[in-house]
Structure formats: C-alpha cells, structure tokens
Amino acid sequence: MMTFDEQVHADVQRTLEEDVGTGDLTAALIPADRRAVAAIICRESAVICGRPWVDEVLRQIAPNARPRWFLDDGDRCEPGQKVVEIEGVARELLTAERTCLNWLQTLSAVATKTAHYVEAVEGTAARILDTRKTIPGLRAAEKYAVRCGGGMNHRMGLFDAILIKENHIAAMGGLAAAFNAALKVESLVSFIQVEVETLRQLEEALNAGVKMVLLDNMSLEEIKACVELAKGRCSLEISGGVTYENLRTYAETGVDRISVGALIKDVDAVDFSLRFQEKPVEQQRN
C-alpha cells in the first residue's frame, strides 16, 4: 500500500498526464522569464479541501513557485475569499491552473457535503460515514475529503475489513457460519461487520456474538425495533434510503453510525477560479 504522500504524488502525476500531455501549447507562448502572482478564489461558501494535491501539482509543474495559503483543509470559506496566492513563473502557473482547480473543486465538494450531513446529526450519537461508492482511482482522496468535512471513513476497500453481506451469508450457508469464519482472521483486519435485513437476522447476529451490525434498507420502525433489541450489545449502522431530509430522523433512533454514499457520488463541484494579481499579499497562514 502507498503512503498518503505517495498516493497524492501518483494522483497528481496521473491527472497532469491527461491534461498536459507532451506540453502546454498555449502557455508556451508566454516568455519563459515572465513571473506572476496568481490567487485562487472560492466563489461560494464551502469547506476547503485539496491543499496537498495543489501543493503537489506545483511541485511537479512549478517547482520554484511559492504558495501562500490563507485557509487550510477543513476550514470554511465565504464567497469571494482568497484561498491561496502563488508566486512563480507565469507559464508554469497557467499550466498548473486547471489541475489545481479540479482537485479543489472536487474534494471541497465532498468535504462541504459531508459537513452539512455532520451538522444535521449534531447532538445525537450518530456519526456520518462514507462508503466504497467512489470515483474509480480517487478513493483515497475522496475519503480524505470526508474526514476534512468531519465525517468518518468506513473501510478503505475489500482488503482492510470484513463486511459480511447477504450473498456472503448465502454462500457460507448461514450468518453464524460466515461470522465464525471471519473470527479466524480477526487479528488481521480492522473490524468485522455483519449486514442484516430483518429483526430476526439481528437477533441471530447478536446470539453469534457480532459486535458491529449494518442494518440494510430498513424502515424507520424496523430500525427503532433493532435499537431496542440491541440495547448496546453491538454498534448499529444504517445504510440505504438515507437522504439529507430524513437524516436527522434516522439519527434520533439511537443508531451509532450512518453510512451515506451520496457524500461522494452525488456532489456539485465548488466554484473556484484562478486570477493573476498585480502583487503578492504579504500576510500568509503558516
């Protein structure tokens, strides 16, 4: 597995290859010694996310550029607020522009939506989690954005935790058999979770000693019954049918976790723009 820094480097390298290719033909028209100061401005209220990727774009395209960040990942910004100012070679800043903005607009969108969901359950015991419903190749970045928005990550992939779903149960010949098989490798994974679809299945899971249960696509009344049955014997997570409009109602049932695929797969890009400035601003965030 790659480290975080290695993942960011690979992400940026891949996105620059698709955008820059063999070279930026338009930026090459600008004299090589022309310097500039550019500011990235957020045009709407948002939670900022993407700084490591922007910094990496500059390292790869404009290694001598000097970014001055006024906001960090996880900070909130207002419309028209300057996020970062960059001094460097003009043609390099122009080449880096779109890739920097793409990372910021995408990851800030995830962070902002996550923050809205987290705020909606404030005061309850429920925590907001993401899912594996991510854009292929961007999972680590998008899950980082969820954390910046105040959410929690579910498993990163199929390799770090066990989630026993209905088809696993069917293939193994029963819930208890599948769970007992998972216990044999418990020390190698971050958690073992079992998905149930009925109150009867929850009772079976509790009797088997399951400590993490996912309630799949249950009605509000069914969830309340499951909370009453579990009574702290296991953590309960709900998934499926959750919207921003009904989120608070589900959270008030007493469940511990709510996983929401929409945090990542149903977002609107945050509006950023890059503009050349006359001179750099001296104040900066350390």
Side-chain angles (χ1 to χ4, degrees):
M1 290 296 297
M2 287 188 285
T3 66
F4 179 79
D5 288 343
E6 289 170 340
Q7 183 67 61
V8 172
H9 177 84
D11 286 344
V12 168
Q13 187 174 51
R14 185 176 66 252
T15 52
L16 287 173
E17 285 173 355
E18 72 181 5
D19 194 39
V20 181
T22 57
D24 183 345
L25 299 177
T26 312
L29 302 175
I30 300 171
D33 61 350
R34 186 73 50 82
R35 295 186 66 81
V37 176
I40 294 180
I41 299 165
C42 188
R43 300 298 185 186
E44 58 185 292
S45 297
V47 175
I48 297 300
C49 184
R51 178 172 175 172
W53 286 265
V54 172
D55 285 341
E56 181 61 26
V57 172
L58 296 175
R59 274 191 288 270
Q60 294 189 30
I61 290 294
N64 295 317
R66 295 187 298 170
R68 298 173 174 87
W69 286 90
F70 304 104
L71 295 170
D72 206 348
D73 284 354
D75 288 345
R76 294 177 180 270
C77 71
E78 296 305 319
Q81 191 167 354
K82 189 180 295 187
V83 176
V84 60
E85 187 176 74
I86 311 162
E87 182 179 0
V89 176
R91 60 162 61 175
E92 293 175 347
L93 298 185
L94 289 167
T95 299
E97 174 182 357
R98 176 42 53 194
T99 303
C100 287
L101 296 181
N102 283 349
W103 282 110
L104 281 173
Q105 70 182 22
T106 300
L107 299 187
S108 295
V110 174
T112 301
K113 185 154 194 173
T114 301
H116 290 159
Y117 276 67
V118 170
E119 290 165 0
V121 302
E122 189 174 352
T124 73
R127 299 295 303 272
I128 300 297
L129 288 86
D130 54 26
T131 70
R132 286 167 48 237
K133 297 174 183 177
T134 56
I135 296 175
L138 296 185
R139 181 169 296 173
E142 290 174 323
K143 282 180 171 283
Y144 168 85
V146 167
R147 297 195 300 274
C148 287
M152 294 175 58
N153 295 149
H154 202 271
R155 56 181 175 166
M156 181 60 70
L158 299 175
F159 55 86
D160 60 337
I162 292 177
L163 173 53
I164 301 170
K165 300 169 73 72
E166 58 179 332
N167 287 332
H168 301 105
I169 292 171
M172 287 292 293
L175 186 153
F179 178 64
N180 288 333
L183 288 177
K184 296 177 181 179
V185 294
E186 185 176 19
S187 62
L188 304 177
V189 299
S190 55
F191 63 81
I192 299 172
Q193 188 174 36
V194 176
E195 178 185 273
V196 303
E197 297 176 319
T198 66
L199 190 65
R200 182 175 179 179
Q201 279 189 320
L202 173 60
E203 187 170 12
E204 184 180 357
L206 292 171
N207 290 337
V210 176
K211 298 302 181 185
M212 292 183 64
V213 173
L214 176 64
L215 308 177
D216 182 46
N217 281 300
M218 288 190 179
S219 69
L220 184 62
E221 293 307 314
E222 288 173 322
I223 292 170
K224 289 179 179 178
C226 287
V227 171
E228 178 63 24
L229 176 63
K231 289 183 178 177
R233 295 163 62 190
C234 70
S235 69
L236 292 178
E237 177 181 336
I238 62 174
S239 180
V242 178
T243 66
Y244 183 76
E245 289 70 28
N246 63 26
L247 179 65
R248 180 77 188 190
T249 301
Y250 279 120
E252 289 175 344
T253 62
V255 295
D256 303 286
R257 298 148 53 108
I258 303 176
S259 52
V260 185
L263 298 182
I264 291 173
K265 70 183 184 69
D266 185 20
V267 296
D268 295 320
V270 174
D271 187 7
F272 289 90
S273 63
L274 182 146
R275 291 289 183 269
F276 275 27
Q277 309 290 296
E278 291 186 5
K279 62 179 181 178
V281 174
E282 296 303 326
Q283 181 183 2
Q284 73 177 61
R285 180 190 180 111
N286 294 324

